Amino acid sequence: MRKVLLIGKNGQLGWELQRTLATLGEVISFDFPEIDLSKPESLREMIRRISPQIIVNAAAYTNVDKAESESELAWKINAEAPGVMAEEAGRLGAAFIHYSTDYVFDGTKRSPYLETDEPNPLNEYGRSKLGGEQSVEAAGAASILFRTSWVYSLRQGGFVTKVLQWARQQETLRIVDDQVGCPTSARMLAEVTAQVIAQGGDDLPGYFEKKGGLYHLAGAGAASRYGWAQAIIDLDPKKEEQVVKQLLPAKTVDFPTPAERPLRSDLSIEKFEETFELSLPPWKDGLKLLLS
Ligand SMILES: NC(=O)c1ccc[n+]([C@@H]2O[C@H](COP(=O)([O-])OP(=O)(O)OC[C@H]3O[C@@H](n4cnc5c(N)ncnc54)[C@H](OP(=O)(O)O)[C@@H]3O)[C@@H](O)[C@H]2O)c1
């Protein structure tokens, strides 16, 4: 039976991957503190010991604001560790899947970002994730790199959970309408990842050699944070618990944060859809499913 190594099993995406990867082989999964990505040598030893045919890395340093003051740690986890995984995958002839972010872009483009657009991260998190893309590419292993955006689930206290909470606590909510991205369901991301691996059949290394590279993979369409919050409030299955009466648009400058964020970082998913002949559902569909 094929061994699938999943790193970051307790995160939003990792949690969903535990389920979707199970049809592909024996899933051996880890998270911090069983494995610490800031210690690349222990990671290398662990991969050699397990000797998997597939490695999926869903772990990352994802606290965008904290990364400003912990850039060294973010760099180790987001840039160096994925490079070690890719190197070890290459050594084993294993397929490697890794995830990156729309925050590699500066958000000044006026249309959805393509894979060929030049990255220019505005913050340390984005710089460390771009470093990860580069270290994976440099390792030269058969790998697929999915750049995604605004990942959500009901785990880890993300945006959906916060909006549901605020709507129960405050009559007026002010949410920024000048940040635009692609809300992406962690569940959809995990399902599509498994579908892509399944397409490789019995010749995964050959398939990854052929299709390997960088792809934008996110919920179809784009939304502002304001539009996303409106949809969450509308689709809330326990609307009777809400006290919110009005949702007001605000501007990013009204809510200063340690890390600067790109204003418009929605991703074009055309290359992904054409290459894998899969169609990604509209972002709101994933939200409906999560909240139904
Ligand atoms: N969330 C987003 O909006 C978003 C947007 C674009 C791209 N992405 C990318 O998508 C991927 C999945 O994101 P996600 O939202 O599922 O992330 P997440 O929920 O924050 O999960 C990340 C996981 O990595 C683990 N981790 C952190 N530091 C570690 C370390 N030193 N050693 C081992 N594990 C460690 C975390 O453990 P602890 O909880 O114990 O720290 C957590 O289980 C990441 O590559 C992320 O950069 C996310």
Side-chain angles (χ1 to χ4, degrees):
M1 199 179 192
R2 244 177 354 199
K3 282 189 199 167
V4 183
L5 174 60
L6 168 63
I7 302 169
K9 67 173 177 175
N10 292 331
Q12 299 192 91
L13 173 60
W15 184 257
E16 299 290 339
L17 282 167
Q18 287 195 66
R19 179 178 54 83
T20 64
L21 297 177
T23 54
L24 299 167
E26 179 198 359
V27 181
I28 302 154
S29 49
F30 293 92
D31 207 310
F32 186 81
E34 299 155 296
I35 183 74
D36 184 354
L37 265 54
S38 69
K39 301 198 169 79
E41 283 318 307
S42 63
L43 177 64
R44 203 183 285 281
E45 187 276 321
M46 184 265 286
I47 296 172
R48 288 186 187 187
R49 182 167 36 85
I50 293 168
S51 195
Q53 281 75 48
I54 306 168
I55 303 175
V56 181
N57 177 34
Y61 183 109
T62 53
N63 190 325
V64 178
D65 287 319
K66 223 168 148 197
E68 293 299 300
S69 54
E70 290 190 342
S71 58
E72 225 173 280
L73 181 62
W75 187 266
K76 278 203 171 107
I77 297 169
N78 290 346
E80 287 177 20
V84 169
M85 293 177 208
E87 272 170 35
E88 290 304 311
R91 217 180 59 87
L92 292 167
F96 179 48
I97 293 199
H98 178 65
Y99 301 87
S100 189
T101 172
D102 55 326
Y103 281 14
V104 298
F105 294 119
D106 62 17
T108 54
K109 198 183 172 194
R110 291 285 150 256
S111 55
Y113 277 100
L114 302 170
E115 289 80 351
T116 46
D117 286 326
E118 199 60 46
N120 182 30
L122 299 176
N123 55 45
E124 290 298 333
Y125 168 73
R127 275 188 277 279
S128 69
K129 293 294 291 183
L130 180 61
E133 293 183 8
Q134 291 162 344
S135 64
V136 169
E137 278 159 21
S143 51
I144 292 181
L145 229 150
F146 290 134
R147 250 189 217 146
T148 188
S149 149
W150 294 10
V151 178
Y152 66 86
S153 72
L154 293 176
R155 286 177 73 76
Q156 307 278 31
F159 188 71
V160 176
T161 311
K162 279 187 195 150
V163 171
L164 291 173
Q165 268 170 9
W166 294 333
R168 281 155 176 70
Q169 292 162 350
Q170 301 168 38
E171 290 196 356
T172 301
L173 293 188
R174 294 173 71 236
I175 307 282
V176 299
D177 70 350
D178 57 352
Q179 277 179 39
V180 173
C182 305
T184 304
S185 145
R187 177 174 171 179
M188 185 278 287
L189 202 50
E191 273 161 5
V192 169
T193 298
Q195 273 179 304
V196 165
I197 298 172
Q199 282 187 11
D202 290 335
D203 180 24
L204 261 190
Y207 177 77
F208 269 61
E209 281 297 339
K210 206 162 93 204
K211 307 260 175 161
L214 174 66
Y215 298 91
H216 290 174
L217 166 50
S224 67
R225 290 249 173 215
Y226 175 86
W228 188 16
Q230 183 68 66
I232 295 166
I233 289 170
D234 291 346
L235 293 167
D236 183 348
K238 292 189 179 158
K239 262 180 117 81
E240 67 283 2
E241 293 179 4
Q242 292 182 359
V243 299
V244 66
K245 294 201 168 59
Q246 54 176 355
L247 182 64
L248 298 177
K251 296 293 166 215
T252 300
V253 290
D254 300 332
F255 297 99
T257 50
E260 191 183 348
R261 280 146 172 88
L263 287 185
R264 179 170 177 177
S265 57
D266 48 318
L267 302 172
S268 163
I269 52 176
E270 252 173 63
K271 180 185 172 194
F272 174 87
E273 291 192 322
E274 276 169 23
T275 307
F276 297 103
E277 294 179 30
L278 290 169
S279 122
L280 298 172
W283 66 266
K284 219 184 250 188
D285 286 7
L287 191 62
K288 279 184 198 150
L289 205 59
L290 181 78
L291 295 177
S292 62

